[in-house]
Amino acid sequence: MIKKYYLLSPGPTPVPETVLSVAAEPIIHHRTPEFSRIFMEVTEGLKYVFGTKEDVYILAASGTGAMETAVINTLSPGDKVITINAGKFGERWGNICRAYGLETREVVIPWGEDFSPEQLAAEIKNNPGVKAVFTTLSETSTGAIFDIKGFGQVVAATEAILVVDGISGVGATACYMDDWKVDILVSGSQKSFMIPPGLAYIAFSPKAWKLVETSKLPKFYFDIKKYRKNLEKQTTPWTPAVSLVIQQKKALDIIKSLGMDKLLQHHQTLGQATRAAVKAIGLELLAKRPGNILTAVKTPAGVDGNKLVKTMQNKYMAYISNAQDPHKGEFFRIAHLGYMGGFDIVTALSALEMTLLDLGYNKFQPGAALAAAQKILREGWQ
Ligand SMILES: *Cc1c(COP(=O)(O)O)cnc(C)c1O
């Protein structure tokens, strides 16, 4: 067989051909009206996707760079914060905050479990003087999403700011920064924004900007005030990742022409189809509140989960993702964010059925996952 490769991981995600090809064009200089025009168009497009009137800053970094930017620009040594750790990425908030000497109350939630606004309200009540709450829109390590709108209502009634990691979620699931009272929203280019890795995005509410004025943590490359000053001149403090910005303009054209509502509906259809398909072959979801970004599926009893992922990746070249440490092999993750179409899901599910049969798991009717997915895809196709 020709080994055709299918990227079905929750980041990096596939990039549309028209977006790939603009990276092959000659590099233009970044201090030119030509680049500034593109740069400002991207900034505007990002505001649309973030659901905010605030400026969205473009950093040459992976998503974690924007997470660090949120922390170091708003807080001072010894400040009290709450971080919600419901998986690998929520855990990262705690790691960043502790690295900068913040007094960190880390709420640890078992992977796949939910955390409610009421629980958050109780945490804030029990930890007076908290300056910031750090949470995750879509926990990519588990496929769970969280009630950011509810968190926004809770945190808005306090002195604290709400900082949301929307790195995989923004662009695949609803998150309206201004309406939902999110104070800092961060995202990254290689998840739902349909371009390669390398750019990170961040926006601040007026409440967050107030904290920026008093923040004493050390900062230089990610000093957001430098970005704000330079954006007034339609530029960046440092050399921007020119080709990626141009690719983002092209990908935002696709997003804008479809419109956010339809884009979110699309991911909802893919999510529903994937969930129905794995249930149809007797498998279980990990997340209590699964999102439409990716689907984490528990490895069925009697199957070696690491072998399952390796077979899908290496034999069928259907590059889904394993669970991350310390849960490797316990579940696997099928992605449907970014530039994924209905047939990407069908590919993943077909490879999954074939892999399960290869590994001797045959408690299902071959084709049952595909039939369940196809039904939902046909109904949702528009
Ligand atoms: C991918 C991801 C990150 C980390 O982003 P990098 O680009 O690898 O730095 C953080 N949070 C979430 C939710 C993610 O999906």
mmCIF file of all heavy atoms in Angstrom, residues 277-284 297-305 307-308 311 332 350-369:
data_model
loop_
_atom_site.group_PDB
_atom_site.id
_atom_site.type_symbol
_atom_site.label_atom_id
_atom_site.label_comp_id
_atom_site.label_asym_id
_atom_site.label_seq_id
_atom_site.Cartn_x
_atom_site.Cartn_y
_atom_site.Cartn_z
ATOM 1 N N ALA A 277 -20.193 7.536 16.871
ATOM 2 C CA ALA A 277 -19.503 6.412 16.225
ATOM 3 C C ALA A 277 -18.801 5.525 17.243
ATOM 4 O O ALA A 277 -18.919 4.301 17.197
ATOM 5 C CB ALA A 277 -18.502 6.952 15.213
ATOM 6 N N VAL A 278 -18.067 6.142 18.157
ATOM 7 C CA VAL A 278 -17.328 5.291 19.114
ATOM 8 C C VAL A 278 -18.290 4.591 20.078
ATOM 9 O O VAL A 278 -18.062 3.447 20.480
ATOM 10 C CB VAL A 278 -16.211 6.072 19.870
ATOM 11 C CG1 VAL A 278 -15.138 6.527 18.888
ATOM 12 C CG2 VAL A 278 -16.749 7.222 20.680
ATOM 13 N N LYS A 279 -19.405 5.257 20.396
ATOM 14 C CA LYS A 279 -20.407 4.605 21.253
ATOM 15 C C LYS A 279 -21.035 3.421 20.515
ATOM 16 O O LYS A 279 -21.343 2.402 21.129
ATOM 17 C CB LYS A 279 -21.490 5.597 21.665
ATOM 18 C CG LYS A 279 -21.023 6.557 22.761
ATOM 19 C CD LYS A 279 -22.140 7.522 23.135
ATOM 20 C CE LYS A 279 -21.628 8.629 24.041
ATOM 21 N NZ LYS A 279 -22.556 9.778 24.089
ATOM 22 N N ALA A 280 -21.205 3.580 19.204
ATOM 23 C CA ALA A 280 -21.833 2.512 18.405
ATOM 24 C C ALA A 280 -20.999 1.237 18.392
ATOM 25 O O ALA A 280 -21.523 0.160 18.113
ATOM 26 C CB ALA A 280 -22.079 2.998 16.980
ATOM 27 N N ILE A 281 -19.700 1.342 18.661
ATOM 28 C CA ILE A 281 -18.892 0.111 18.727
ATOM 29 C C ILE A 281 -18.525 -0.219 20.184
ATOM 30 O O ILE A 281 -17.556 -0.926 20.451
ATOM 31 C CB ILE A 281 -17.640 0.186 17.823
ATOM 32 C CG1 ILE A 281 -16.778 1.415 18.137
ATOM 33 C CG2 ILE A 281 -18.050 0.179 16.355
ATOM 34 C CD1 ILE A 281 -15.448 1.438 17.392
ATOM 35 N N GLY A 282 -19.303 0.336 21.106
ATOM 36 C CA GLY A 282 -19.187 -0.064 22.504
ATOM 37 C C GLY A 282 -18.074 0.617 23.282
ATOM 38 O O GLY A 282 -17.741 0.183 24.379
ATOM 39 N N LEU A 283 -17.495 1.674 22.726
ATOM 40 C CA LEU A 283 -16.425 2.360 23.453
ATOM 41 C C LEU A 283 -16.998 3.517 24.272
ATOM 42 O O LEU A 283 -18.091 4.010 23.997
ATOM 43 C CB LEU A 283 -15.357 2.866 22.475
ATOM 44 C CG LEU A 283 -14.727 1.816 21.542
ATOM 45 C CD1 LEU A 283 -13.560 2.422 20.782
ATOM 46 C CD2 LEU A 283 -14.278 0.587 22.306
ATOM 47 N N GLU A 284 -16.216 3.951 25.260
ATOM 48 C CA GLU A 284 -16.687 5.016 26.153
ATOM 49 C C GLU A 284 -15.851 6.272 26.022
ATOM 50 O O GLU A 284 -14.644 6.202 25.792
ATOM 51 C CB GLU A 284 -16.562 4.553 27.607
ATOM 52 C CG GLU A 284 -17.639 3.615 28.066
ATOM 53 C CD GLU A 284 -17.329 3.132 29.485
ATOM 54 O OE1 GLU A 284 -17.030 3.988 30.349
ATOM 55 O OE2 GLU A 284 -17.359 1.903 29.688
ATOM 56 N N VAL A 297 -11.252 8.844 23.864
ATOM 57 C CA VAL A 297 -11.988 7.581 23.944
ATOM 58 C C VAL A 297 -11.202 6.610 24.821
ATOM 59 O O VAL A 297 -9.994 6.423 24.620
ATOM 60 C CB VAL A 297 -12.156 6.962 22.536
ATOM 61 C CG1 VAL A 297 -13.047 5.726 22.585
ATOM 62 C CG2 VAL A 297 -12.698 7.998 21.551
ATOM 63 N N LYS A 298 -11.884 5.987 25.780
ATOM 64 C CA LYS A 298 -11.204 5.040 26.674
ATOM 65 C C LYS A 298 -10.810 3.778 25.900
ATOM 66 O O LYS A 298 -11.606 3.269 25.100
ATOM 67 C CB LYS A 298 -12.117 4.663 27.840
ATOM 68 C CG LYS A 298 -12.382 5.803 28.803
ATOM 69 C CD LYS A 298 -13.200 5.279 29.974
ATOM 70 C CE LYS A 298 -13.680 6.429 30.854
ATOM 71 N NZ LYS A 298 -14.676 5.994 31.831
ATOM 72 N N THR A 299 -9.624 3.296 26.167
ATOM 73 C CA THR A 299 -9.176 2.046 25.554
ATOM 74 C C THR A 299 -10.033 0.908 26.103
ATOM 75 O O THR A 299 -10.170 0.787 27.323
ATOM 76 C CB THR A 299 -7.702 1.776 25.913
ATOM 77 O OG1 THR A 299 -6.935 2.923 25.566
ATOM 78 C CG2 THR A 299 -7.176 0.560 25.171
ATOM 79 N N PRO A 300 -10.645 0.093 25.221
ATOM 80 C CA PRO A 300 -11.495 -0.980 25.766
ATOM 81 C C PRO A 300 -10.671 -2.021 26.517
ATOM 82 O O PRO A 300 -9.486 -2.222 26.224
ATOM 83 C CB PRO A 300 -12.149 -1.584 24.510
ATOM 84 C CG PRO A 300 -11.329 -1.156 23.362
ATOM 85 C CD PRO A 300 -10.624 0.115 23.749
ATOM 86 N N ALA A 301 -11.310 -2.653 27.495
ATOM 87 C CA ALA A 301 -10.632 -3.682 28.301
ATOM 88 C C ALA A 301 -10.086 -4.773 27.385
ATOM 89 O O ALA A 301 -10.728 -5.154 26.402
ATOM 90 C CB ALA A 301 -11.621 -4.267 29.306
ATOM 91 N N GLY A 302 -8.893 -5.225 27.682
ATOM 92 C CA GLY A 302 -8.298 -6.310 26.899
ATOM 93 C C GLY A 302 -7.455 -5.823 25.727
ATOM 94 O O GLY A 302 -6.822 -6.615 25.047
ATOM 95 N N VAL A 303 -7.472 -4.509 25.479
ATOM 96 C CA VAL A 303 -6.679 -3.958 24.370
ATOM 97 C C VAL A 303 -5.527 -3.134 24.955
ATOM 98 O O VAL A 303 -5.706 -2.409 25.930
ATOM 99 C CB VAL A 303 -7.568 -3.076 23.453
ATOM 100 C CG1 VAL A 303 -6.730 -2.348 22.410
ATOM 101 C CG2 VAL A 303 -8.641 -3.922 22.780
ATOM 102 N N ASP A 304 -4.338 -3.279 24.373
ATOM 103 C CA ASP A 304 -3.182 -2.470 24.784
ATOM 104 C C ASP A 304 -3.292 -1.098 24.100
ATOM 105 O O ASP A 304 -3.162 -1.002 22.874
ATOM 106 C CB ASP A 304 -1.897 -3.214 24.371
ATOM 107 C CG ASP A 304 -0.628 -2.418 24.676
ATOM 108 O OD1 ASP A 304 -0.703 -1.177 24.797
ATOM 109 O OD2 ASP A 304 0.441 -3.051 24.787
ATOM 110 N N GLY A 305 -3.546 -0.082 24.904
ATOM 111 C CA GLY A 305 -3.810 1.248 24.359
ATOM 112 C C GLY A 305 -2.641 1.836 23.588
ATOM 113 O O GLY A 305 -2.828 2.542 22.590
ATOM 114 N N LYS A 307 -0.430 0.125 21.942
ATOM 115 C CA LYS A 307 -0.371 -0.624 20.686
ATOM 116 C C LYS A 307 -1.443 -0.109 19.718
ATOM 117 O O LYS A 307 -1.221 -0.004 18.512
ATOM 118 C CB LYS A 307 -0.608 -2.111 20.992
ATOM 119 C CG LYS A 307 0.247 -3.039 20.166
ATOM 120 C CD LYS A 307 0.100 -4.426 20.742
ATOM 121 C CE LYS A 307 0.915 -5.431 19.964
ATOM 122 N NZ LYS A 307 0.759 -6.770 20.569
ATOM 123 N N LEU A 308 -2.593 0.195 20.281
ATOM 124 C CA LEU A 308 -3.688 0.708 19.449
ATOM 125 C C LEU A 308 -3.247 1.993 18.728
ATOM 126 O O LEU A 308 -3.371 2.119 17.516
ATOM 127 C CB LEU A 308 -4.914 0.971 20.338
ATOM 128 C CG LEU A 308 -6.208 1.457 19.670
ATOM 129 C CD1 LEU A 308 -7.413 1.011 20.491
ATOM 130 C CD2 LEU A 308 -6.257 2.959 19.490
ATOM 131 N N THR A 311 -0.468 1.311 16.169
ATOM 132 C CA THR A 311 -0.981 0.664 14.949
ATOM 133 C C THR A 311 -1.669 1.696 14.056
ATOM 134 O O THR A 311 -1.449 1.734 12.846
ATOM 135 C CB THR A 311 -1.964 -0.477 15.325
ATOM 136 O OG1 THR A 311 -1.305 -1.364 16.219
ATOM 137 C CG2 THR A 311 -2.428 -1.229 14.093
ATOM 138 N N PHE A 332 -7.314 7.330 24.020
ATOM 139 C CA PHE A 332 -6.680 7.932 22.845
ATOM 140 C C PHE A 332 -7.555 9.082 22.372
ATOM 141 O O PHE A 332 -8.707 9.205 22.786
ATOM 142 C CB PHE A 332 -6.470 6.882 21.743
ATOM 143 C CG PHE A 332 -7.725 6.146 21.345
ATOM 144 C CD1 PHE A 332 -8.535 6.612 20.322
ATOM 145 C CD2 PHE A 332 -8.117 4.983 22.020
ATOM 146 C CE1 PHE A 332 -9.704 5.946 19.966
ATOM 147 C CE2 PHE A 332 -9.290 4.312 21.674
ATOM 148 C CZ PHE A 332 -10.072 4.793 20.647
ATOM 149 N N SER A 350 -12.540 4.592 10.494
ATOM 150 C CA SER A 350 -12.267 3.387 9.719
ATOM 151 C C SER A 350 -10.951 2.762 10.191
ATOM 152 O O SER A 350 -10.869 1.548 10.422
ATOM 153 C CB SER A 350 -12.212 3.747 8.233
ATOM 154 O OG SER A 350 -11.861 2.625 7.483
ATOM 155 N N ALA A 351 -9.939 3.598 10.370
ATOM 156 C CA ALA A 351 -8.651 3.098 10.865
ATOM 157 C C ALA A 351 -8.817 2.525 12.273
ATOM 158 O O ALA A 351 -8.189 1.516 12.620
ATOM 159 C CB ALA A 351 -7.617 4.223 10.868
ATOM 160 N N LEU A 352 -9.685 3.130 13.075
ATOM 161 C CA LEU A 352 -9.916 2.635 14.436
ATOM 162 C C LEU A 352 -10.550 1.244 14.392
ATOM 163 O O LEU A 352 -10.113 0.331 15.091
ATOM 164 C CB LEU A 352 -10.813 3.624 15.205
ATOM 165 C CG LEU A 352 -11.258 3.178 16.595
ATOM 166 C CD1 LEU A 352 -10.063 2.968 17.520
ATOM 167 C CD2 LEU A 352 -12.219 4.206 17.218
ATOM 168 N N GLU A 353 -11.579 1.091 13.573
ATOM 169 C CA GLU A 353 -12.230 -0.234 13.469
ATOM 170 C C GLU A 353 -11.227 -1.287 13.013
ATOM 171 O O GLU A 353 -11.153 -2.386 13.575
ATOM 172 C CB GLU A 353 -13.405 -0.177 12.488
ATOM 173 C CG GLU A 353 -14.637 0.532 13.028
ATOM 174 C CD GLU A 353 -15.892 0.181 12.210
ATOM 175 O OE1 GLU A 353 -15.776 -0.539 11.197
ATOM 176 O OE2 GLU A 353 -16.991 0.631 12.597
ATOM 177 N N MET A 354 -10.436 -0.972 11.998
ATOM 178 C CA MET A 354 -9.466 -1.934 11.465
ATOM 179 C C MET A 354 -8.412 -2.286 12.518
ATOM 180 O O MET A 354 -8.016 -3.443 12.670
ATOM 181 C CB MET A 354 -8.826 -1.376 10.188
ATOM 182 C CG MET A 354 -9.794 -1.391 9.005
ATOM 183 S SD MET A 354 -9.326 -0.282 7.652
ATOM 184 C CE MET A 354 -7.997 -1.173 6.885
ATOM 185 N N THR A 355 -8.011 -1.262 13.271
ATOM 186 C CA THR A 355 -7.007 -1.481 14.318
ATOM 187 C C THR A 355 -7.561 -2.378 15.424
ATOM 188 O O THR A 355 -6.886 -3.305 15.882
ATOM 189 C CB THR A 355 -6.561 -0.125 14.899
ATOM 190 O OG1 THR A 355 -5.980 0.636 13.844
ATOM 191 C CG2 THR A 355 -5.548 -0.293 16.013
ATOM 192 N N LEU A 356 -8.786 -2.104 15.852
ATOM 193 C CA LEU A 356 -9.392 -2.926 16.909
ATOM 194 C C LEU A 356 -9.473 -4.382 16.463
ATOM 195 O O LEU A 356 -9.177 -5.303 17.228
ATOM 196 C CB LEU A 356 -10.781 -2.386 17.268
ATOM 197 C CG LEU A 356 -10.798 -1.065 18.058
ATOM 198 C CD1 LEU A 356 -12.217 -0.492 18.129
ATOM 199 C CD2 LEU A 356 -10.247 -1.262 19.476
ATOM 200 N N LEU A 357 -9.849 -4.597 15.211
ATOM 201 C CA LEU A 357 -9.926 -5.971 14.689
ATOM 202 C C LEU A 357 -8.534 -6.606 14.670
ATOM 203 O O LEU A 357 -8.362 -7.759 15.077
ATOM 204 C CB LEU A 357 -10.550 -5.976 13.291
ATOM 205 C CG LEU A 357 -12.041 -5.567 13.241
ATOM 206 C CD1 LEU A 357 -12.517 -5.392 11.805
ATOM 207 C CD2 LEU A 357 -12.927 -6.568 13.979
ATOM 208 N N ASP A 358 -7.527 -5.816 14.243
ATOM 209 C CA ASP A 358 -6.144 -6.318 14.233
ATOM 210 C C ASP A 358 -5.712 -6.770 15.626
ATOM 211 O O ASP A 358 -4.951 -7.724 15.768
ATOM 212 C CB ASP A 358 -5.160 -5.215 13.790
ATOM 213 C CG ASP A 358 -5.255 -4.903 12.313
ATOM 214 O OD1 ASP A 358 -5.991 -5.614 11.605
ATOM 215 O OD2 ASP A 358 -4.598 -3.945 11.872
ATOM 216 N N LEU A 359 -6.165 -6.036 16.635
ATOM 217 C CA LEU A 359 -5.719 -6.322 17.999
ATOM 218 C C LEU A 359 -6.614 -7.358 18.691
ATOM 219 O O LEU A 359 -6.517 -7.574 19.897
ATOM 220 C CB LEU A 359 -5.665 -5.031 18.825
ATOM 221 C CG LEU A 359 -4.704 -3.948 18.298
ATOM 222 C CD1 LEU A 359 -4.691 -2.741 19.218
ATOM 223 C CD2 LEU A 359 -3.288 -4.486 18.121
ATOM 224 N N GLY A 360 -7.504 -7.944 17.917
ATOM 225 C CA GLY A 360 -8.311 -9.047 18.450
ATOM 226 C C GLY A 360 -9.556 -8.606 19.196
ATOM 227 O O GLY A 360 -10.215 -9.417 19.836
ATOM 228 N N TYR A 361 -9.871 -7.345 19.100
ATOM 229 C CA TYR A 361 -11.103 -6.858 19.759
ATOM 230 C C TYR A 361 -12.211 -6.895 18.715
ATOM 231 O O TYR A 361 -12.157 -6.179 17.714
ATOM 232 C CB TYR A 361 -10.884 -5.430 20.267
ATOM 233 C CG TYR A 361 -12.089 -4.830 20.952
ATOM 234 C CD1 TYR A 361 -12.325 -5.039 22.307
ATOM 235 C CD2 TYR A 361 -13.002 -4.051 20.243
ATOM 236 C CE1 TYR A 361 -13.423 -4.495 22.936
ATOM 237 C CE2 TYR A 361 -14.114 -3.496 20.863
ATOM 238 C CZ TYR A 361 -14.319 -3.719 22.208
ATOM 239 O OH TYR A 361 -15.412 -3.180 22.822
ATOM 240 N N ASN A 362 -13.187 -7.746 18.923
ATOM 241 C CA ASN A 362 -14.213 -7.887 17.869
ATOM 242 C C ASN A 362 -15.629 -7.899 18.439
ATOM 243 O O ASN A 362 -16.515 -8.563 17.925
ATOM 244 C CB ASN A 362 -13.939 -9.138 17.031
ATOM 245 C CG ASN A 362 -13.741 -10.355 17.915
ATOM 246 O OD1 ASN A 362 -14.102 -10.313 19.098
ATOM 247 N ND2 ASN A 362 -13.194 -11.423 17.364
ATOM 248 N N LYS A 363 -15.806 -7.127 19.516
ATOM 249 C CA LYS A 363 -17.145 -7.066 20.105
ATOM 250 C C LYS A 363 -18.000 -6.017 19.402
ATOM 251 O O LYS A 363 -18.698 -5.239 20.055
ATOM 252 C CB LYS A 363 -17.030 -6.706 21.593
ATOM 253 C CG LYS A 363 -16.389 -7.810 22.411
ATOM 254 C CD LYS A 363 -16.334 -7.406 23.877
ATOM 255 C CE LYS A 363 -15.309 -8.225 24.624
ATOM 256 N NZ LYS A 363 -14.507 -7.466 25.552
ATOM 257 N N PHE A 364 -17.864 -5.902 18.109
ATOM 258 C CA PHE A 364 -18.691 -4.929 17.382
ATOM 259 C C PHE A 364 -18.878 -5.401 15.946
ATOM 260 O O PHE A 364 -18.127 -6.243 15.444
ATOM 261 C CB PHE A 364 -18.055 -3.531 17.420
ATOM 262 C CG PHE A 364 -16.743 -3.422 16.669
ATOM 263 C CD1 PHE A 364 -16.715 -2.948 15.359
ATOM 264 C CD2 PHE A 364 -15.538 -3.773 17.276
ATOM 265 C CE1 PHE A 364 -15.502 -2.844 14.676
ATOM 266 C CE2 PHE A 364 -14.330 -3.665 16.592
ATOM 267 C CZ PHE A 364 -14.314 -3.200 15.285
ATOM 268 N N GLN A 365 -19.883 -4.860 15.334
ATOM 269 C CA GLN A 365 -20.177 -5.147 13.937
ATOM 270 C C GLN A 365 -19.283 -4.248 13.081
ATOM 271 O O GLN A 365 -19.418 -3.034 13.146
ATOM 272 C CB GLN A 365 -21.660 -4.808 13.699
ATOM 273 C CG GLN A 365 -22.214 -5.218 12.368
ATOM 274 C CD GLN A 365 -22.242 -6.738 12.216
ATOM 275 O OE1 GLN A 365 -22.530 -7.464 13.164
ATOM 276 N NE2 GLN A 365 -21.896 -7.204 11.031
ATOM 277 N N PRO A 366 -18.357 -4.797 12.292
ATOM 278 C CA PRO A 366 -17.513 -3.917 11.474
ATOM 279 C C PRO A 366 -18.368 -2.973 10.625
ATOM 280 O O PRO A 366 -19.358 -3.399 10.028
ATOM 281 C CB PRO A 366 -16.730 -4.896 10.597
ATOM 282 C CG PRO A 366 -16.679 -6.153 11.402
ATOM 283 C CD PRO A 366 -17.990 -6.215 12.136
ATOM 284 N N GLY A 367 -17.983 -1.715 10.628
ATOM 285 C CA GLY A 367 -18.753 -0.718 9.880
ATOM 286 C C GLY A 367 -19.750 0.037 10.749
ATOM 287 O O GLY A 367 -20.305 1.055 10.329
ATOM 288 N N ALA A 368 -19.966 -0.435 11.986
ATOM 289 C CA ALA A 368 -20.983 0.204 12.829
ATOM 290 C C ALA A 368 -20.615 1.638 13.194
ATOM 291 O O ALA A 368 -21.478 2.524 13.233
ATOM 292 C CB ALA A 368 -21.197 -0.620 14.101
ATOM 293 N N ALA A 369 -19.321 1.879 13.436
ATOM 294 C CA ALA A 369 -18.891 3.247 13.759
ATOM 295 C C ALA A 369 -19.105 4.154 12.553
ATOM 296 O O ALA A 369 -19.594 5.286 12.680
ATOM 297 C CB ALA A 369 -17.416 3.249 14.181
#
